[in-house]
Amino acid sequence: MSAAATREAFGDAMVRVGSDERVVVIDGDLKNSTFAEKFEAAYPDRFVELGIAESNMLGVAAGLALSGRIPWAGSFAAFVAGRLEVIRVSIGYNEANVRIVGTHVGVGIGDDGATQMSLEDIAVMRALPNMAIIQPCDAAETHGAVDYLMTHEGPAFLRLTRQKLEDVHGDGYRFEFGKAETLRDGNDVALVATGALVQECLKAAELLEGEGISARVLNVHTLAPIDRDAIATAARDTGHVVSAEDHNVNGGLGSAVAEVIGEEGIDAKLARVGTRWYGESGSQAELYEKFGLSAPRVADTGRALVRSDMPV
């Protein structure tokens, strides 16, 4: 099984879609980390380096979009999501076709350290009513998301990992915007995951199966708009839901799942796997274990929820 960071797959995808001359890539002095440098090498006349000035970068992107271009503005997610005022006014309010790309998300960035870890960006973007949010779980899904976003009308946020992720999909995969993907069926508990936690949940489901617990795994690559039907069906069918994300549980996938269950009046128990504090330095494996994001820890949460010996 091969593996690649979704940020690297993004760089490859941008070279491919860059044949469309409307595409412009704007960088915040991190092109060798976001892999925007691949686009620069292929299309130097449509690559813009604006330096460490994310607010300016997003404002320029809005102007390019309103002039008919398709700008992709990229940096670490912690830096772009922190520019909420510009995103809200210049991009969101104007319905500008800007693709905001945030890499190095979650504690999965490991040794890069807490100040670089984006653990609030989904919450920030979800607060904007017209912001599409996509987080792919592997390279194939990243390519599918980039292809889709070339056709999307309105603002969008693409959330990408620093670490390599094992392939979940084969060559025939087709990305479907707004539709959660059932990767594994099950009747006792639903593991609803996004991004890097998809692979952890697939492994957790294997662990639970060995204990006689049948776990469904949903890949929620589109966080806004969320697939309410898929989440509601999983909650009704199993009665137990575990949301899993490399992000703070407040405002992220876990909050979105809670909103669906509550608003639909579904009688189901929910446990949210995610961070509840700021990050810290360490290896990705160490941090996933400490913050409860590893496959064994996700299995612990699912097992406890099914056995009803865990407060919810």
Side-chain angles (χ1 to χ4, degrees):
M1 179 176 290
S2 62
T6 53
R7 60 178 172 138
E8 187 169 5
F10 164 75
D12 294 334
M14 289 310 301
V15 171
R16 182 167 46 76
V17 302
S19 57
D20 187 326
E21 293 191 352
R22 296 173 299 169
V23 174
V24 178
V25 170
I26 309 172
D27 178 63
D29 199 33
L30 286 169
K31 62 186 179 183
N32 61 337
S33 293
T34 64
F35 284 95
E37 63 184 5
K38 293 186 177 184
F39 183 92
E40 179 188 29
Y43 309 102
D45 293 341
R46 285 185 278 126
F47 176 84
V48 183
E49 178 57 70
L50 287 178
I52 306 172
E54 289 81 10
S55 292
N56 185 43
M57 176 179 73
L58 293 164
V60 169
L64 286 167
L66 296 172
S67 301
R69 296 298 190 113
I70 305 176
W72 297 70
S75 183
F76 288 5
F79 304 155
V80 288
R83 309 285 84 77
L84 176 61
E85 182 182 11
V86 178
I87 295 172
R88 183 174 70 90
V89 176
S90 299
I91 298 174
Y93 184 74
N94 284 303
E95 296 270 14
N97 278 328
V98 175
R99 285 78 182 96
I100 303 167
V101 182
T103 68
H104 292 66
V105 300
V107 298
I109 72 171
D111 295 331
D112 278 9
T115 60
Q116 316 294 306
M117 292 174 176
S118 186
L119 299 171
E120 306 83 15
D121 52 297
I122 297 174
V124 168
M125 296 298 182
R126 280 190 70 230
L128 300 173
N130 57 347
M131 181 66 68
I133 305 173
I134 297 174
Q135 179 169 221
C137 71
D138 67 3
E141 199 157 76
T142 304
H143 279 272
V146 169
D147 287 346
Y148 166 73
L149 287 172
M150 285 295 293
T151 68
H152 181 78
E153 293 293 329
F157 176 58
L158 182 63
R159 190 175 199 256
L160 303 172
T161 62
R162 177 189 188 279
Q163 75 268 32
K164 294 181 182 296
L165 301 179
E166 295 175 356
D167 287 343
V168 172
H169 303 100
D171 293 337
Y173 172 72
R174 289 190 62 189
F175 177 84
E176 192 171 3
F177 177 69
K179 295 293 184 183
E181 178 188 22
T182 301
L183 294 173
R184 179 185 176 116
D185 207 0
N187 301 316
D188 295 325
V189 60
L191 308 179
V192 181
T194 185
L197 267 292
V198 171
Q199 284 85 342
E200 300 298 328
C201 283
L202 287 169
K203 295 172 185 173
E206 293 286 340
L207 295 173
L208 292 171
E209 183 180 39
E211 303 170 21
I213 297 174
S214 171
R216 183 178 305 187
V217 178
L218 283 186
N219 167 27
V220 182
H221 51 66
T222 304
L223 292 145
I226 197 86
D227 188 345
R228 297 178 65 92
D229 289 343
I231 293 170
T233 298
R236 290 192 181 98
D237 288 351
T238 66
H240 305 92
V241 179
V242 175
S243 63
E245 59 192 315
D246 190 351
H247 180 272
N248 196 296
V249 295
N250 298 319
L253 173 64
S255 292
V257 171
E259 290 162 11
V260 172
I261 292 174
E263 290 171 358
E264 296 292 333
I266 299 170
D267 184 13
K269 293 183 177 179
L270 168 67
R272 295 179 297 163
V273 168
T275 63
R276 296 171 187 267
W277 192 246
Y278 301 100
E280 58 185 84
S281 293
S283 73
Q284 182 261 318
E286 290 171 338
L287 295 177
Y288 268 29
E289 189 69 15
K290 176 167 185 172
F291 284 92
L293 309 182
S294 67
R297 299 290 77 78
V298 173
D300 289 344
T301 302
R303 183 187 310 110
L305 191 65
V306 170
R307 294 177 179 171
S308 299
D309 56 356
M310 172 181 170
V312 294

